[in-house]
């Protein structure tokens, strides 16, 4: 049968690769013969062949002695895919479509295997397939495909490379833990793979960043969904440990990725993962020297890097939805009616469960609040750049009053989430950190009539919870908290909510 | 989304070969749109099974299908450990070695460290007999760190020896070149006086 | 409250002093220490 012939061809390929080195001319000849004899000349044949090769590879893994080489067929298949992508002349179908088709077939076989086997599903051969595919691509693409003699094909392949990685990323998105829990640990290992993650981080023009943010949010969503306050399944704890290590590695290698994508990442990060949040927010751009935040003589206004606004990869204005016009109009020409529109439209349609510290549900649209706060900060920094610092370091400026009115008109819940969103911008010394430091200090010292105590408590709580955790701590949080501690206008120790709780009083005294 | 787009555009997806995988896959889409509130028992056990099968660093390693004959294992005593020599070690790097390559990604690998202790003979042996391999690459890197340069034309490694001359002489230093003769004598030999260094002949590593 | 990250950073090969900073993702073995016992071959390039 056709399928049996496909099995035979693939088996021959596997045997060949065990006898000759991967770059031997016989390997190229084999591929050429495969194409000339029409083994893959129709999409039906391609699909059938891919299915046959994968089923053979997975079958061979399952049947192999676990102490022997179990991945021979799988590795051979990866090498075949890469050779087909590189050696063929793409006329009817382009490379992207070709690769997508093959991976779609792989996805179907994977889904079927997973659906049929349930708990007995073994993720390892599928992991190995993608891992080896990434290794093979890296091998052949070294130094901009210098191993390819023909200049035209070399430039085609170079153009294709970001596509290659983004296609893999798209399929990893399909395999995310919420959809395929039986693949979770292989999945996390793949998104952090040495031949994938650093590549995606460093593609020219940040071409891999969107997909990477998508994958990291897939991970965070999974963690958020299954982290309950009283009961975290052991397996989810292990997921968290792995996620933490991956983020630490990213913070070390490519802090700019975390700096520029903090907004999207934090939108899906469960509140209880305080340390992980601090890891993301305390990323500092490479080669930026920052002053000691504990220096008693430090003045934030004197720090040079506060002249520059941080890059924001994803513009939060896209998340403002119906509030975009009211917010932007208010910033230009403040009016109380616009404020009312904004304040009344920050709520969700219905209550949602949440695993916050001290709360179980959320009725405000936290993503919307995060978007408003960051957008206002971005605009404020732009304003300062266009005009003067006085335009924004001014409690009468529309930038300040917009946020102030959210606090004034809001419930405790709204206030809490607005303050949290502001605290998320208190990072390394930059224009946003500087402005939000100003905003939060003034919020703390302002007279809110009967609500003063509540607002002050929310601010102190927000800052404190980010400092009492183990390190790292954000520079901007430390500086802001220190400013408040040093403030002559208000002694934190005399505040009722501090005096009422001995533990808190002790911490503040020590600080 | 991906498959839906492709489905619309591509007749291939009408193919019955996509079933029953497609049905299983569509089921997972349902879970994505409406994730379970708490983890159902089935999901929990699949997650645990994934944890048990978690791929390790051996699974993630680079595939090597065709094994170089020189690396065939030879019989060893049962008393020798069977463990890999590539155990991870996060010990600090020797700070006395100063070269830009000392902060590259290979400086902290165990093979990179081991090679820094090999003598030239071993490095040349690996370079010429393990062509195209990671080991050859590391040997080349180590030779570069030690000041050797690779000539693309004659495929030999060259070393520039700079001898400081006593003060008062016409020149302050004397330069002589050596090369490693891998084809005949397997020794480092002095280059003749007619040797001229041309930068373009040497590989930039 | 999180944990002391010093041993975690050490397991990643990230030095505590910022001076000798270097990349770790290119030789990353696995997200978990338990599955990171052996090294993985990083990318490399050998000219023809």
């Amino acid at each position: 049968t056709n399928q049996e012939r496909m099995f035979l061809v693939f088996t021959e390929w596997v045997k060949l690769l065990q006898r000759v080195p991967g770059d031997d001319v016989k390997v190229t000849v084999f591929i050429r013969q495969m194409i000339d004899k029409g083994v893959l000349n129709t999409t039906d044949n391609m699909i059938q062949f891919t299915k046959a090769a994968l089923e053979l590879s997975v079958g061979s893994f399952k049947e192999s002695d676990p102490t022997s080489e179990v991945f021979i067929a799988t590795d051979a298949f990866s090498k075949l895919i890469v050779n087909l992508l590189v050696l063929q002349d793409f006329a009817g179908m382009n490379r992207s479509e070709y690769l997508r088709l093959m991976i779609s077939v792989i996805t179907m076989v994977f889904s079927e295997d997973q659906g049929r086997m349930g708990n007995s599903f073994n993720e390892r051969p599928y992991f190995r397939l993608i891992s080896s595919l990434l290794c093979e691509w890296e091998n052949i693409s070294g130094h901009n495909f210098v191993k390819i003699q023909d200049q035209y094909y070399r430039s085609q392949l170079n153009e294709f490379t970001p596509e290659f990685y983004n296609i893999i990323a798209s399929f990893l998105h399909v395999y995310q833990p919420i959809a395929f829990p039986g693949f979770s640990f292989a999945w996390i290992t793949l998104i952090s793979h040495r031949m994938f993650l650093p590549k995606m981080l460093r593609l020219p023009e940040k071409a891999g960043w969107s997909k990477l943010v998508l994958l990291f949010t897939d991970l965070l969503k999974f963690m958020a969904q299954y982290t309950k306050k009283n009961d975290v399944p052991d397996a989810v704890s292990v997921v968290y440990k792995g996620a933490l290590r991956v983020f630490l590695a990213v913070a070390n290698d490519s802090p700019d990725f975390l700096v520029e994508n903090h907004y999207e990442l934090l939108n899906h990060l469960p509140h209880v993962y305080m340390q992980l949040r601090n890891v993301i927010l305390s990323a500092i751009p490479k080669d930026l020297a920052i002053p000691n935040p504990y220096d008693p003589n430090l003045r934030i206004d004197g720090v040079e890097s506060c002249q520059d606004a941080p890059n924001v990869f994803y513009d939060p204005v896209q998340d403002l939805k119906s509030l975009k016009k009211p917010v932007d109009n208010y910033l230009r020409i403040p009016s109380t009616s616009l404020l009312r529109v904004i304040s009344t439209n920050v709520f969700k349609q219905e209550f949602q469960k949440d695993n916050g510290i001290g709360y179980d549900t959320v009725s405000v649209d936290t993503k919307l609040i995060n978007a408003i706060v960051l957008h206002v900060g971005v605009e404020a920094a732009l304003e300062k750049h266009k005009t003067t610092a006085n335009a924004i370091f001014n409690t009468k400026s529309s930038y300040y009053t917009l946020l102030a009115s959210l606090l004034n008109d809001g419930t405790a819940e709204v206030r809490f989430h607005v303050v949290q969103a502001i605290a998320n911008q208190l990072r390394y010394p930059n224009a946003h950190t500087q402005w939000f430091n100003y905003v939060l200090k003034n919020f703390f010292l302002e007279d809110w009539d009967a609500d003063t105590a509540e607002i002050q408590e929310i601010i102190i709580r927000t800052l404190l919870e980010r400092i009492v955790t183990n390190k790292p701590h954000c520079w901007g949080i430390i500086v802001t908290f220190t400013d408040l501690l040093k403030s002559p206008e208000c002694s934190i120790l005399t505040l009722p909510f501090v005096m009422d709780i001995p533990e808190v009083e002790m911490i503040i005294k020590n600080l | 989304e991906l498959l839906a787009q492709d489905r619309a555009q591509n007749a291939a997806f009408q193919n019955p070969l996509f079933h029953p995988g497609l049905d299983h896959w569509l089921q997972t889409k349902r879970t994505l749109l409406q994730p379970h509130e708490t983890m159902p028992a089935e999901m929990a056990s699949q997650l645990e099974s994934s944890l048990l099968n978690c791929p390790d660093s051996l699974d993630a390693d680079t595939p090597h299908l065709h094994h170089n004959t020189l690396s065939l294992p030879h019989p060893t005593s049962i008393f020798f450990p069977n463990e890999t020599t590539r155990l991870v070690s996060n010990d600090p790097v020797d700070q006395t070695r100063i070269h830009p390559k000392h902060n590259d990604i290979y400086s902290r690998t165990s093979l990179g460290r081991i090679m820094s202790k090999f003598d030239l003979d071993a490095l040349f042996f690996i370079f010429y007999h393990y062509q195209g391999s990671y080991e050859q690459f590391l040997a080349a890197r180590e030779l570069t760190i030690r000041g050797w340069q690779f000539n693309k034309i004659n495929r030999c490694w060259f070393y520039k020896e700079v001898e400081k001359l006593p003060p008062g002489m016409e020149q302050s230093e004397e330069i002589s070149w050596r090369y490693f003769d891998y084809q005949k004598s397997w020794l480092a030999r002095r280059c003749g006086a007619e040797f001229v260094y041309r930068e373009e002949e040497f590989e930039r590593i | 409250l999180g944990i002391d990250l010093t041993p975690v950073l050490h397991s990643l090969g990230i030095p505590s002093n910022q001076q000798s900073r270097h990349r770790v993702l290119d030789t990353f073995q696995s997200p978990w220490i338990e599955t990171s016992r052996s090294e993985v071959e990083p990318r490399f390039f050998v000219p023809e």
Side-chain angles (χ1 to χ4, degrees):
Chain A
T1 65
N2 210 33
Q3 193 184 45
E4 282 167 345
R5 275 183 277 168
M6 301 286 189
F7 280 139
L8 270 175
V9 171
F10 181 66
T11 310
E12 284 305 302
W13 167 256
V14 176
K15 284 196 216 159
L16 175 67
L17 284 182
Q18 290 181 279
R19 282 167 177 64
V20 304
D23 53 1
D24 191 291
V25 68
K26 296 179 200 62
V27 168
T28 315
V29 170
F30 188 101
I31 302 280
R32 150 106 318 131
Q33 287 186 356
M34 261 185 88
I35 294 166
D36 288 348
K37 291 193 191 299
V39 175
L40 303 169
N41 64 346
T42 63
T43 42
D44 266 15
N45 275 351
M46 257 192 75
I47 293 168
Q48 193 163 46
F49 183 85
T50 306
K51 220 175 178 221
L54 183 56
E55 282 166 2
L56 258 181
S57 302
V58 174
S60 135
F61 163 81
K62 287 180 183 173
E63 283 149 32
S64 292
D65 172 5
T67 62
S68 72
E69 302 270 9
V70 299
F71 294 127
I72 291 175
T74 318
D75 289 347
F77 187 28
S78 304
K79 202 168 188 70
L80 180 64
I81 295 174
V82 169
N83 272 297
L84 287 172
L85 285 173
V86 170
L87 294 174
Q88 282 190 96
D89 198 345
F90 282 90
M93 197 195 240
N94 70 34
R95 259 187 200 88
S96 294
E97 285 171 11
Y98 197 84
L99 179 58
R100 277 178 200 272
L101 180 61
M102 291 192 96
I103 304 195
S104 299
V105 177
I106 292 168
T107 306
M108 292 303 116
V109 174
F110 169 86
S111 300
E112 189 191 334
D113 191 358
Q114 197 273 146
R116 228 175 350 102
M117 300 301 285
N119 301 349
S120 329
F121 172 72
N122 194 322
E123 60 198 335
R124 288 175 66 212
Y126 299 96
F127 167 83
R128 179 70 176 202
L129 180 68
I130 301 178
S131 169
S132 296
L133 188 60
L134 291 164
C135 291
E136 294 290 350
W137 189 260
E138 174 62 53
N139 183 29
I140 200 143
S141 62
H143 284 247
N144 296 320
F145 290 93
V146 73
K147 288 180 186 170
I148 307 292
Q149 303 230 320
D150 188 298
Q151 178 77 318
Y152 170 72
Y153 285 114
R154 203 186 309 155
S155 69
Q156 271 208 328
L157 288 164
N158 274 317
E159 243 179 71
F160 172 69
T161 285
E163 257 298 285
F164 173 85
Y165 288 104
N166 277 313
I167 290 171
I168 305 268
S170 296
F171 279 91
L172 286 174
H173 175 58
V174 169
Y175 299 139
Q176 65 179 286
I178 289 183
F180 290 98
F183 193 65
S184 300
F185 286 86
W187 187 88
I188 301 170
T189 312
L190 281 172
I191 65 168
S192 58
H193 198 283
R194 70 192 183 286
M195 304 291 190
F196 177 75
L197 183 52
K199 257 308 192 315
M200 290 288 277
L201 285 168
R202 299 200 293 258
L203 281 175
E205 283 145 53
K206 304 171 183 172
W209 280 21
S210 293
K211 284 270 172 349
L212 266 188
V213 170
L214 186 63
L215 292 172
F216 279 124
T217 54
D218 289 343
L219 176 60
L220 294 171
K221 272 192 216 165
F222 175 77
M223 283 160 55
Q225 190 69 28
Y226 299 112
T227 300
K228 307 294 177 206
K229 268 193 279 263
N230 304 321
D231 164 45
V232 180
D234 287 339
V236 177
S237 281
V238 180
V239 167
Y240 166 71
K241 287 207 181 91
L244 179 63
R245 272 179 104 244
V246 173
F247 275 106
L248 285 169
V250 174
N252 179 77
D253 284 25
S254 300
D256 290 295
F257 175 78
L258 296 179
V259 165
E260 297 191 32
N261 291 290
H262 77 301
Y263 164 77
E264 281 196 282
L265 292 170
L266 255 58
N267 271 334
H268 294 100
L269 180 58
H271 189 216
V272 293
Y273 290 127
M274 196 66 67
Q275 187 172 41
L276 182 53
R277 185 203 304 200
N278 277 344
V279 167
I280 293 171
L281 294 178
S282 34
I284 300 169
K286 272 188 181 160
D287 304 326
L288 183 69
I290 65 170
N292 178 6
Y294 297 102
D295 178 357
N297 299 319
L298 178 72
R299 270 182 53 252
I300 192 170
D301 298 330
V303 180
E304 201 183 316
S305 55
C306 287
Q307 299 304 315
D308 306 316
N311 275 338
V312 180
F313 184 67
Y314 173 87
D315 193 341
V317 78
Q318 300 170 73
D319 293 342
L320 289 179
K321 301 186 274 198
S322 59
L323 289 187
K324 179 182 185 314
K325 274 217 168 72
V327 168
D328 281 341
N329 287 342
Y330 180 85
L331 292 177
R332 272 199 310 272
I333 304 165
S335 88
T336 41
S337 60
L338 283 171
L339 280 181
R340 223 175 304 123
V341 169
I342 297 167
S343 292
T344 50
N345 280 293
V346 293
F347 293 92
K348 280 180 147 64
Q349 301 289 357
E350 46 188 35
F351 273 83
Q352 213 178 46
K353 283 208 182 134
D354 200 335
N355 285 306
I357 299 171
Y359 58 94
D360 288 320
T361 59
V362 67
S363 67
V364 304
D365 190 341
T366 50
K367 187 170 164 181
L368 180 57
I369 290 184
N370 290 338
I372 294 171
V373 168
L374 180 56
H375 177 63
V376 170
V378 167
E379 293 298 308
L382 284 172
E383 177 70 40
K384 172 180 156 195
H385 194 72
K386 270 195 304 222
T387 58
T388 67
N390 283 336
I392 63 163
F393 288 93
N394 177 349
T395 56
K396 304 233 188 311
S397 75
S398 57
Y399 304 93
Y400 182 91
T401 58
L402 192 153
L403 298 180
S405 84
L406 279 174
L407 243 59
N408 198 45
D409 303 339
T411 57
E413 189 186 6
V414 170
R415 289 169 176 166
F416 175 77
H417 289 290
V418 169
V419 170
Q420 287 284 330
I422 291 174
N424 289 344
Q425 315 313 323
L426 296 171
R427 302 186 287 162
Y428 70 95
N430 63 52
H432 292 183
T433 303
Q434 188 194 18
W435 188 68
F436 282 109
N437 163 278
Y438 170 83
V439 167
L440 209 56
K441 278 191 313 214
N442 278 281
F443 280 176
F444 186 78
L445 298 171
E446 205 172 291
D447 182 4
W448 304 92
D449 297 326
D451 298 328
T452 307
E454 180 176 281
I455 289 175
Q456 286 179 328
E457 182 176 351
I458 288 173
I459 293 174
I460 295 296
R461 174 245 163 96
T462 298
L463 295 174
L464 202 57
E465 70 184 2
R466 292 162 192 243
I467 296 183
V468 297
T469 53
N470 276 279
K471 287 184 179 175
H473 302 138
C474 295
W475 187 93
I477 297 282
I478 298 168
V479 167
T480 305
F481 198 63
T482 310
D483 285 346
L484 293 183
L485 282 172
K486 288 192 309 196
S487 163
E489 289 117 315
C490 173
S491 172
I492 298 182
L493 283 170
T494 61
L495 294 172
F497 56 86
V498 172
M499 295 200 301
D500 278 349
I501 307 167
E503 293 95 331
V504 175
E505 193 182 19
M506 180 71 76
I507 293 171
I508 307 259
K509 268 200 180 121
N510 284 335
L511 287 169
Chain B
E1 247 178 58
L2 205 73
L3 280 175
Q5 269 172 22
D6 286 339
R7 273 188 114 164
Q9 293 162 5
N10 201 327
F13 288 87
Q14 307 308 320
N15 198 306
L17 288 167
F18 273 102
H19 301 273
L22 190 60
D23 304 315
H24 288 287
W25 177 74
L26 283 168
Q27 278 215 341
T28 70
K29 297 299 276 181
R30 237 162 269 142
T31 325
L32 265 175
L33 287 166
Q34 271 187 317
H36 303 283
E37 241 335 288
T38 43
M39 200 180 286
E42 192 192 330
M43 185 184 193
S45 78
Q46 281 174 358
L47 185 63
E48 270 162 34
S49 161
S50 171
L51 173 54
L52 278 171
N53 285 322
C54 185
D56 64 9
S57 44
L58 290 169
D59 283 355
D61 207 358
T62 313
H64 290 297
L65 283 151
H66 168 255
H67 290 285
N68 191 335
T69 50
L70 277 170
S71 64
L72 274 177
H74 45 269
T76 49
S77 161
I78 53 166
F79 296 108
F80 284 107
N82 236 342
E83 278 195 349
T84 172
T85 53
R86 296 194 300 156
L87 287 176
V88 174
S89 154
N90 284 313
D91 293 338
V93 179
D94 181 0
Q95 294 297 328
T96 61
R97 310 188 85 206
I98 307 156
H99 187 283
K101 288 203 187 309
H102 285 134
N103 219 29
D104 66 11
I105 62 174
Y106 311 98
S107 57
R108 273 157 204 78
T109 61
S110 57
L111 268 179
R113 287 175 203 250
I114 287 169
M115 294 238 186
S116 71
K117 303 197 198 307
F118 283 178
D119 64 12
L120 287 172
D121 232 358
L123 293 174
F124 288 126
F125 181 81
I126 294 167
F127 181 83
Y128 287 108
H129 290 277
Y130 284 75
Q131 298 208 27
S133 68
Y134 177 51
E135 290 77 8
Q136 180 195 33
F137 165 81
L138 285 180
R141 173 184 169 271
E142 183 59 32
L143 286 166
T144 306
I145 289 173
R146 296 190 201 184
W148 290 77
Q149 297 181 62
F150 183 71
N151 187 301
K152 293 186 273 195
I153 317 290
N154 58 38
R155 319 264 162 120
C156 291
W157 284 90
F158 283 75
Y159 184 80
K160 176 168 147 182
E161 198 148 1
V162 179
E163 198 192 320
K164 288 253 180 284
L165 296 171
M169 306 211 48
E170 215 177 273
Q171 289 158 312
S172 59
E173 55 187 30
E174 191 180 297
I175 294 174
S176 60
W177 285 86
R178 277 190 275 146
Y179 74 99
F180 186 79
D181 178 11
Y182 72 96
Q183 286 173 307
K184 296 200 187 104
S185 62
W186 196 258
L187 284 172
R189 312 186 84 111
R190 278 210 117 100
C191 295
E194 72 287 354
F195 173 74
V196 175
Y197 176 78
R198 288 188 197 89
E199 199 182 327
E200 64 274 12
E201 284 179 12
F202 288 83
E203 188 73 59
R204 279 174 44 217
I205 294 180
Chain C
L1 288 170
I3 53 168
D4 177 8
L5 292 179
T6 321
V8 182
L9 291 168
H10 180 75
S11 78
L12 284 165
I14 296 174
S16 40
N17 62 323
Q18 288 298 321
Q19 262 81 23
S20 47
R21 196 178 192 162
H22 59 272
R23 288 186 182 144
V24 300
L25 282 172
D26 300 275
T27 48
F28 196 62
Q29 297 100 14
S30 161
W32 299 276
I33 301 172
E34 294 85 346
T35 42
S36 297
R37 287 189 59 239
S38 66
E39 287 183 356
V40 284
E41 190 178 280
R43 65 180 156 78
F44 66 96
F45 179 78
V46 173
E48 284 299 320

